[in-house]
Amino acid sequence: MGKRQKLRSRLIRDFKLNKYLYLMMVPVIAYYLVFFYGPMYGALIAFKDYSPMKGILGSDWVGLKHFEDFFGSFYFLRVLKNTILISLYTLLFEFPAPILLALLINEVRRKKFKRVVQTITYMPYFISLVVICGIITDFTNADGLLNRLFVFLGYDGQAMLQKPELFRPIYVLSEIWQRIGWESIIYIAALMSIDLEQYEAARMDGASRLKQMIYITLPGLLPTIMIMFILRMGNLLNVGFEKIILLYNPVTYETADVISSFVYRKGLLEFGWSYSSAVGLFNSVINLVLLITANTLSRRATQNSLW
Amino acid sequence: MTTEQSIGDRIFTAINYTLLTLLVIATLYPLLYVLFASFSNSAQLLGHKGFLWRPLGFSLEAYKSVLNNPGIGIGFRNTLFILVCGVAVNLLMTSMGAYVLSRKNVMWNKVFMFLIVFTMFFSGGLIPLYLVVKGVGLLNSLWSTIIPFSISTFNLIIMRTSFMGIPDSLEESAKIDGANHFTILFRIIIPLSMPVIAVMILYYAVDKWNGWFYASVFIKDRNLFPVQLVLREILISNSTDSMSSGASAGDRFQIGETIKYATIMVATIPILCVYPFLQRFFVKGVMVGSLKG
């Protein structure tokens, strides 16, 4: 009884004290409710046969039908495999690239050279995705720049974006090209906080530059690497589908179609709203599970975690 | 740093410089190629088989076609609207949210924070978002690329962290002088946080400038296409025909080739011109953001 009253009086006092703050928060909370929690509620249509006439509430429940349809379809294994493979390749090749670049840049003693390398490597990050994909499409043409390079090296030129087996390498390599410089910034920033005395001591002990890099610099980066890795894991199934939508075509669906591009096609181009929402929901749930798993594992193993 | 270098260290340095130089070339050459090609004579470019070290011939034809294309003009106009209104909405909403969430002794802040951060990790998905945007009547309006993206949660957290670093005593003395929260936010906190505000403007502006996906989903009216959507048609769907409609079929194909490159340049030069000046802000932004981990 007393506890409840205490809470009530606390609530009233807090409201009186902060009512203008709460007033300011109204649009912000409204925004999150409408555009984030609204869609979460709307995801209910994954369990219904949504028809625009009946609305979300009025449409008929169908239980897990759309999920079963998806899991049973030919597309399920294909998009799941593509999503996982593209993510894994990106994680394997694109994720370490900026770390390596940061380590290399960190070893450069000439300030001017350092600045030139940084400025140029993160230039591509500012170019819009549409333009980047336009350039990729053009360069991978049968007589595009990349093919000229291959012909120069003695291979045959071919329209690379029409080759399913080349889609993933093109995707991952262009990711590295566009993001390596930008993503290295965060690691370079982290490097600045490493204690210089450690290097001093290592030099005394006769450690070479390479050894210093491996035994001092790299461990110093580890916390940052872990945090970036956890964030990546939480987005594992959200591979850059905007880029995929810009680059793929029916010939390469076989290797390029991922869950989110599939959702986009089925939902917005073919109007399978409920089915597509079910696929999207599946994606979101797996992402959340991956994030929590990665975070828990990391906290246990290295004491670095998001929460 | 002028200690004697061992042979091993020298080899290490040499390899390091070589790798970085190669990376710089690999990054820069494709862009230079586009630049050279855009100024080239299209017939010569089409016949050319090797690499490109300078423009082949010199022609501004492609640029003329691009700048005369009404779609590009409309696109730039729409993007400008989205950029100006969008960034204004972003700043207002993000700073209000960040201000409230940075105050201590506000009972519900923990709840708000949880509700907000949760949205970073779980979402309803694309189709439900589309239905919401449709439901609130934003379809086929430029506002559909602004209102549903009023706040980026990541930016909100960066801003909140920065606001929390401002000493409480400033706020208290303003309160004694009779300032309310709106005055404190706009007269004290924001002017003191200019570096972070600059970073926010840049982050949001680049987002708006480069955005195309949601516009392509929400907007069907061609007169409302932002510039990136127009670019997509020209670059990806390869429909340069409409741009050189005066020319004969053969010429059209030829000009089409250089038009692509000129389009890329026109769309990219504005941002490439400003980015060296902006770069230190971005670097700062990444660092501010990384504080939070």
Side-chain angles (χ1 to χ4, degrees):
Chain A
M1 196 64 181
K3 233 180 183 173
R4 220 163 156 187
Q5 244 166 9
K6 232 167 119 191
L7 181 68
R8 226 182 100 167
S9 69
R10 257 183 68 202
L11 276 172
I12 294 171
R13 211 180 51 229
D14 172 69
F15 184 76
K16 274 190 184 149
L17 201 65
N18 297 319
K19 57 182 177 244
Y20 291 108
L21 284 175
Y22 287 128
L23 188 67
M24 267 173 136
M25 203 59 186
V26 167
V28 177
I29 290 300
Y31 163 72
Y32 276 97
L33 287 182
V34 173
F35 292 107
F36 287 88
Y37 288 92
M40 283 184 211
Y41 164 74
L44 270 186
I45 66 170
F47 305 97
K48 294 183 162 206
D49 259 334
Y50 177 74
S51 99
M53 310 297 286
K54 292 184 187 165
I56 295 174
L57 272 183
S59 299
D60 305 324
W61 290 98
V62 292
L64 296 175
K65 185 185 117 191
H66 299 295
F67 291 91
E68 282 162 8
D69 278 358
F70 176 55
F71 296 145
S73 79
F74 151 78
Y75 294 108
F76 174 64
L77 277 182
R78 188 172 85 174
V79 295
L80 192 66
K81 182 179 153 211
N82 287 340
T83 312
I84 291 174
L85 278 182
I86 293 179
S87 298
L88 278 185
Y89 289 152
T90 321
L91 210 57
L92 216 58
F93 299 105
E94 195 268 331
F95 182 73
I99 301 171
L100 200 63
L101 177 62
L103 290 176
L104 294 184
I105 286 180
N106 189 48
E107 297 297 331
V108 172
R109 295 283 172 260
R110 283 183 213 177
K111 281 250 164 65
K112 212 169 172 186
F113 184 71
K114 205 175 195 163
R115 229 186 31 234
V116 170
V117 173
Q118 282 193 276
T119 308
I120 289 177
T121 49
Y122 52 74
M123 188 154 60
Y125 181 82
F126 291 89
I127 302 175
S128 79
L129 199 57
V130 173
V131 168
I132 293 284
C133 291
I135 295 179
I136 295 172
T137 314
D138 192 74
F139 283 0
T140 55
N141 259 341
D143 58 352
L145 181 67
L146 276 173
N147 275 311
R148 285 185 206 166
L149 182 68
F150 287 131
V151 171
F152 180 75
L153 296 172
Y155 296 93
D156 292 334
Q158 50 185 333
M160 296 187 217
L161 277 178
Q162 307 296 329
K163 296 262 170 185
E165 69 272 23
L166 289 178
F167 187 87
R168 290 174 196 141
I170 292 174
Y171 179 90
V172 174
L173 280 173
S174 57
E175 281 292 285
I176 296 178
W177 184 79
Q178 189 177 14
R179 311 182 68 95
I180 185 170
W182 173 254
E183 288 177 356
S184 71
I185 297 176
I186 196 163
Y187 298 110
I188 291 171
L191 283 176
M192 288 174 188
S193 61
I194 296 179
D195 190 1
L196 289 177
E197 277 174 28
Q198 289 187 49
Y199 293 102
E200 209 73 49
R203 257 200 305 279
M204 293 294 195
D205 295 342
S208 70
R209 291 272 293 277
L210 186 65
K211 283 226 165 99
Q212 292 172 35
M213 186 168 97
I214 294 171
Y215 293 110
I216 300 175
T217 319
L218 199 56
L221 271 186
L222 204 62
T224 315
I225 296 176
M226 281 321 291
I227 293 288
M228 298 306 281
F229 186 78
I230 300 170
L231 286 173
R232 274 293 175 98
M233 288 306 286
N235 266 318
L236 196 71
L237 296 198
N238 284 358
V239 280
F241 74 106
E242 292 192 17
K243 189 168 162 189
I244 288 176
I245 290 172
L246 289 171
L247 287 180
Y248 75 172
N249 58 52
V251 184
T252 45
Y253 281 174
E254 178 192 336
T255 55
D257 200 13
V258 294
I259 299 178
S260 34
S261 58
F262 182 69
V263 168
Y264 166 77
R265 234 180 28 255
K266 288 289 166 194
L268 290 170
L269 305 183
E270 297 168 19
F271 299 105
W273 285 349
S274 282
Y275 179 69
S276 178
S277 296
V279 181
L281 198 59
F282 166 74
N283 195 4
S284 291
V285 170
I286 302 277
N287 269 339
L288 193 64
V289 171
L290 283 173
L291 180 79
I292 294 170
T293 314
N295 197 54
T296 312
L297 288 179
S298 165
R299 192 173 47 211
R300 291 226 182 108
T302 67
Q303 275 80 47
N304 294 303
S305 67
L306 288 174
W307 63 80
Chain B
M1 286 294 164
T2 46
T3 42
E4 286 267 309
Q5 293 221 344
S6 72
I7 292 178
D9 284 353
R10 271 191 216 159
I11 295 174
F12 175 79
T13 309
I15 292 177
N16 188 14
Y17 276 67
T18 314
L19 284 176
L20 288 175
T21 310
L22 285 176
L23 181 70
V24 164
I25 294 172
T27 310
L28 210 52
Y29 182 71
L31 299 174
L32 285 177
Y33 179 91
V34 174
L35 178 71
F36 297 150
S38 72
F39 284 113
S40 293
N41 175 297
S42 43
Q44 268 176 282
L45 184 69
L46 220 53
H48 186 71
K49 283 281 166 266
F51 294 93
L52 210 55
W53 302 112
R54 58 185 170 76
L56 293 168
F58 184 80
S59 156
L60 290 174
E61 279 311 306
Y63 282 93
K64 273 186 204 152
S65 315
V66 172
L67 293 174
N68 281 332
N69 177 1
I72 295 270
I74 292 171
F76 272 117
R77 205 190 59 205
N78 290 330
T79 296
L80 194 69
F81 178 85
I82 294 173
L83 201 67
V84 172
C85 296
V87 173
V89 170
N90 286 151
L91 280 184
L92 184 72
M93 292 283 282
T94 313
S95 56
M96 285 200 310
Y99 176 70
V100 177
L101 291 170
S102 67
R103 298 303 93 187
K104 297 172 198 102
N105 306 320
V106 182
M107 254 177 103
W108 291 90
N109 264 358
K110 272 196 187 134
V111 180
F112 291 156
M113 215 41 207
F114 177 81
L115 277 176
I116 288 172
V117 170
F118 183 70
T119 62
M120 284 176 93
F121 304 121
F122 188 79
S123 73
L126 181 61
I127 308 301
L129 176 66
Y130 175 83
L131 293 178
V132 167
V133 172
K134 192 174 169 215
V136 295
L138 285 173
L139 276 197
N140 242 334
S141 143
L142 288 179
W143 292 101
S144 67
T145 60
I146 296 175
I147 308 279
F149 308 96
S150 301
I151 298 175
S152 127
T153 304
F154 195 71
N155 289 354
L156 178 76
I157 291 173
I158 293 179
M159 214 156 163
R160 172 178 176 258
T161 312
S162 147
F163 284 179
M164 286 202 292
I166 295 173
D168 293 341
S169 51
L170 276 170
E171 186 195 333
E172 272 150 30
S173 64
K175 259 187 193 157
I176 293 169
D177 292 342
N180 63 30
H181 283 297
F182 290 90
T183 328
I184 295 173
L185 171 59
F186 291 106
R187 292 285 172 76
I188 297 174
I189 305 279
I190 289 185
L192 281 174
S193 314
M194 273 343 258
V196 122
I197 302 284
V199 171
M200 294 292 105
I201 294 180
L202 292 169
Y203 276 14
Y204 279 127
V206 168
D207 256 15
K208 300 285 178 205
W209 170 266
N210 286 341
W212 68 278
F213 179 72
Y214 291 102
S216 82
V217 172
F218 298 145
I219 297 177
K220 293 284 167 263
D221 181 356
R222 302 185 54 89
N223 283 319
L224 296 176
F225 274 13
V227 74
Q228 302 293 342
L229 270 192
V230 181
L231 290 179
R232 183 178 69 148
E233 298 207 317
I234 299 172
L235 297 175
I236 313 283
S237 321
N238 240 329
S239 60
T240 40
D241 307 355
S242 63
M243 298 178 69
S244 44
S245 49
S248 70
D251 284 352
R252 203 178 294 162
F253 178 62
Q254 287 188 356
I255 298 179
E257 190 61 19
T258 43
I259 282 180
K260 253 193 285 181
Y261 298 114
T263 314
I264 292 174
M265 292 316 295
V266 168
T268 310
I269 285 172
I271 200 124
L272 285 192
C273 284
V274 286
Y275 109 94
F277 304 104
L278 306 183
Q279 135 188 349
R280 66 199 177 92
F281 284 111
F282 276 102
V283 173
K284 203 184 282 170
V286 170
M287 291 190 193
V288 175
S290 65
L291 291 178
K292 188 81 184 120

